[in-house]
Amino acid sequence: MDIDTARRLLERMLSCAKAGGALAAECVWCGYGSRSFSVCDEALEKSHSSISECLGLRVLDRKHRQGVASLYDIDDRAVAVLCENAFRNARHGAAEDDVVFARTQPAVPAVDLGVYDPELVAWDSREQIELCLQMSRQARALDRRVRTVRDASVFIGWEESLTINSYGVSCQSRSTAGGIGVTLLAEDGGAVEIGGASLDGRSRAALSSRPPVDEAVARTVRLLHGEPLPTGRYTLVLEPEVVASFFEGLAELFFASNVCKGVTLLADKMGERVASPVVTLVDDGRMYGGMGNAACDAECVATQRTVLLDHGRLVSWLSNLQYGKRLGTISTGNGSRGLSSLPDVDVNNLFVVPGKRSAEELAAAYDGCFRVTELMGLHTIDSVSGDFSLAARGLYHKNGVSRPVSAVTIAGNLCEFLNKIIEVGGDLRFYDRFGGCTMVVDDIAVAGK
């Protein structure tokens, strides 16, 4: 379905919703496409491609109840079926007097956001498969300890969407995204490690210019023969991917929806210093090429750059229309929803503002540090109390020598941990929508042997 046909269909849907008594309505059309290939030890193991489209409708009925419905089989009855289902689902909802729909047309970005690359869509399947085979061969050739390349894969996807609401506000978008990755098994003298690396991007050039093979091999073999550290307190040097994952796990602490529900330990700390002064945390929906980029969010509100932590001080929440209203503020352009769910809050591109020194300079500057390459169990962090206990692996640096570390646990409280960050590196890197830099955290309890 082309965009003009989709627009006419959505306008019919709005008319149907209004005729059914909706106080307000919002409808969405999405068209998707994807291709993926996976190689295991130089043999094509998986190949998949798909093209689909779907419709979604959200209504606010006369009793101020919201209802949503979606449909993937689009035929002549699609409009009637969606309206019927949305109103039926609304009857099971609770009345809310603060539901808000966008009433202002979002401005078109003044600059290209770097979210669509026609060359990625046109990338020949044979070339994608050959890239997978090359990554598999290169990984095995780089180090004799690589026994198996379990997965060398490429994924590309593209999407076009149109959202229109009953106030005449609309948002149209077109985007591409992809990823390549390598997962391998390394073995040496009875020690076995499984690891890998991946790369995300919006363009073909971003994906094909530097496949992450060297990184995958280095990250895996460096952890062979890992042993626990003696139990004690250490200076931690967290790698960028660890920091990105860490703040991904903490992102919900900054959601206005969770503030309203009382399920974030930051709820009553607006304006206070909750982290070290070296930490500035930003969400930006309009940074060039960002995986979370969009001109507007799921509610047709323009995205923006929002500073959450300004040199450690909590200065903003991430909000959508409804939760922004509940807190007496406005939406930050972070409205998010699936076609079958009500609006909530999510990040666009969340990252720590980088400092100056490189990872190598930081590791050398903090002799006797534990360089953390992996944290496990981030989903278990208590968002109300802040208590955590996480398994960790990495490297111990002492007198210019590094040795692998495994089977240790890092425990503490988020508030204390955030305030013990003493330096942020200059090596910002994104992992999907989350960006991290090397980060130094002082005096952290590590349980080992």
Side-chain angles (χ1 to χ4, degrees):
M1 183 184 306
D2 61 47
I3 197 71
D4 292 329
T5 303
R7 186 179 296 276
R8 291 191 293 269
L9 184 60
L10 296 188
E11 289 171 349
R12 283 175 50 207
M13 199 183 306
L14 284 176
S15 297
C16 179
K18 291 177 182 177
L23 298 177
E26 176 186 85
C27 48
V28 184
W29 167 81
C30 289
Y32 305 91
S34 68
R35 288 195 301 271
S36 62
F37 303 97
S38 177
V39 164
C40 178
D41 280 339
E42 301 182 42
L44 182 63
E45 187 174 56
K46 296 178 183 177
S47 172
H48 178 76
S49 64
S50 67
I51 296 178
S52 62
E53 56 184 354
C54 56
L55 294 171
L57 175 64
R58 176 167 67 109
V59 299
L60 181 68
D61 71 10
R62 291 172 178 170
K63 294 185 178 181
H64 291 266
R65 300 171 301 190
Q66 292 188 86
V68 293
S70 61
L71 191 65
Y72 287 83
D73 296 321
I74 302 174
D75 55 25
D76 293 339
R77 297 188 64 253
V79 169
V81 169
L82 274 174
C83 285
E84 178 183 348
N85 290 345
F87 279 106
R88 182 175 63 246
N89 292 336
R91 291 195 290 271
H92 298 288
E96 299 175 288
D97 60 5
D98 58 358
V99 176
V100 185
F101 286 72
R103 299 195 182 200
T104 303
Q105 182 66 31
V108 176
V111 296
D112 177 24
L113 299 182
V115 297
Y116 184 77
D117 176 25
E119 291 188 6
L120 187 63
V121 181
W123 197 359
D124 188 86
S125 298
R126 291 167 296 183
E127 294 180 2
Q128 294 176 58
I129 294 171
E130 180 57 31
L131 177 59
C132 293
L133 292 169
Q134 288 177 3
M135 290 193 295
S136 181
R137 288 192 291 265
Q138 290 171 4
R140 292 176 66 88
L142 275 173
D143 196 296
R144 62 173 180 76
R145 293 168 290 183
V146 175
R147 294 289 184 262
T148 301
V149 179
R150 291 191 163 190
D151 179 74
S153 60
V154 173
F155 165 82
I156 65 169
W158 57 94
E159 174 184 335
E160 188 169 17
S161 69
L162 176 64
T163 303
I164 304 176
N165 73 20
S166 53
Y167 293 101
V169 178
S170 66
C171 186
Q172 179 180 337
S173 69
R174 184 172 64 165
S175 62
T176 53
I180 59 177
V182 179
T183 302
L184 53 90
L185 181 147
E187 182 180 4
D188 182 61
V192 177
E193 288 290 341
I194 297 175
S198 61
L199 179 69
D200 304 308
R202 290 285 196 177
S203 67
R204 176 178 175 179
L207 296 181
S208 58
S209 61
R210 50 184 182 93
V213 180
D214 290 6
E215 182 183 5
V217 173
R219 286 168 58 92
T220 305
V221 299
R222 67 181 177 177
L223 296 179
L224 286 165
H225 304 287
E227 296 181 349
L229 285 170
T231 296
R233 304 191 74 84
Y234 292 84
T235 297
L236 307 185
V237 176
L238 309 182
E239 292 198 336
E241 186 170 9
V242 173
V243 173
S245 298
F246 181 73
F247 280 101
E248 179 180 2
L250 301 191
E252 292 186 355
L253 297 179
F254 300 92
F255 291 179
S257 51
N258 289 334
V259 175
C260 292
K261 297 170 187 174
V263 292
T264 165
L265 59 84
L266 300 179
D268 59 350
K269 299 186 183 300
M270 180 55 65
E272 297 181 17
R273 190 167 74 82
V274 299
S276 163
V278 303
V279 179
T280 294
L281 185 67
V282 174
D283 181 77
D284 191 344
R286 297 195 170 195
M287 56 186 304
Y288 185 84
M291 296 300 287
N293 270 16
C296 56
D297 68 7
E299 297 180 298
C300 291
V301 176
T303 56
Q304 64 180 44
R305 177 185 172 94
T306 303
V307 178
L308 301 173
L309 297 179
D310 185 4
H311 294 91
R313 187 167 60 90
L314 179 62
V315 295
S316 183
W317 307 116
L318 297 179
S319 305
N320 67 358
L321 286 167
Q322 184 176 26
Y323 287 109
K325 182 178 180 179
R326 288 184 183 181
L327 293 178
T329 62
I330 61 174
S331 172
T332 56
N334 290 90
S336 173
R337 78 177 185 95
L339 292 181
S340 298
S341 61
L342 295 175
D344 206 330
V345 180
D346 203 356
V347 303
N348 292 316
N349 299 292
L350 184 71
F351 63 97
V352 179
V353 174
K356 296 182 178 180
R357 293 205 281 183
S358 69
E360 291 70 25
E361 289 174 319
L362 292 175
Y366 297 96
D367 192 43
C369 69
F370 174 26
R371 185 169 179 172
V372 180
T373 63
E374 186 175 356
L375 279 178
M376 294 156 278
L378 286 165
H379 64 284
T380 65
I381 296 176
D382 191 315
S383 62
V384 178
S385 71
D387 293 335
F388 65 86
S389 180
L390 308 171
R393 299 199 302 169
L395 301 165
Y396 179 66
H397 293 276
K398 185 71 174 178
N399 298 327
V401 178
S402 300
R403 63 178 178 86
V405 174
S406 63
V408 298
T409 301
I410 296 171
N413 182 271
L414 278 180
C415 294
E416 296 177 0
F417 191 90
L418 291 171
N419 278 285
K420 288 184 175 181
I421 298 169
I422 57 176
E423 190 167 354
V424 175
D427 51 350
L428 176 62
R429 178 175 171 182
F430 275 85
Y431 301 85
D432 195 42
R433 296 177 298 147
F434 300 89
C437 317
T438 298
M439 185 175 286
V440 184
V441 192
D442 196 29
D443 190 33
I444 299 299
V446 177
K449 60 183 179 181

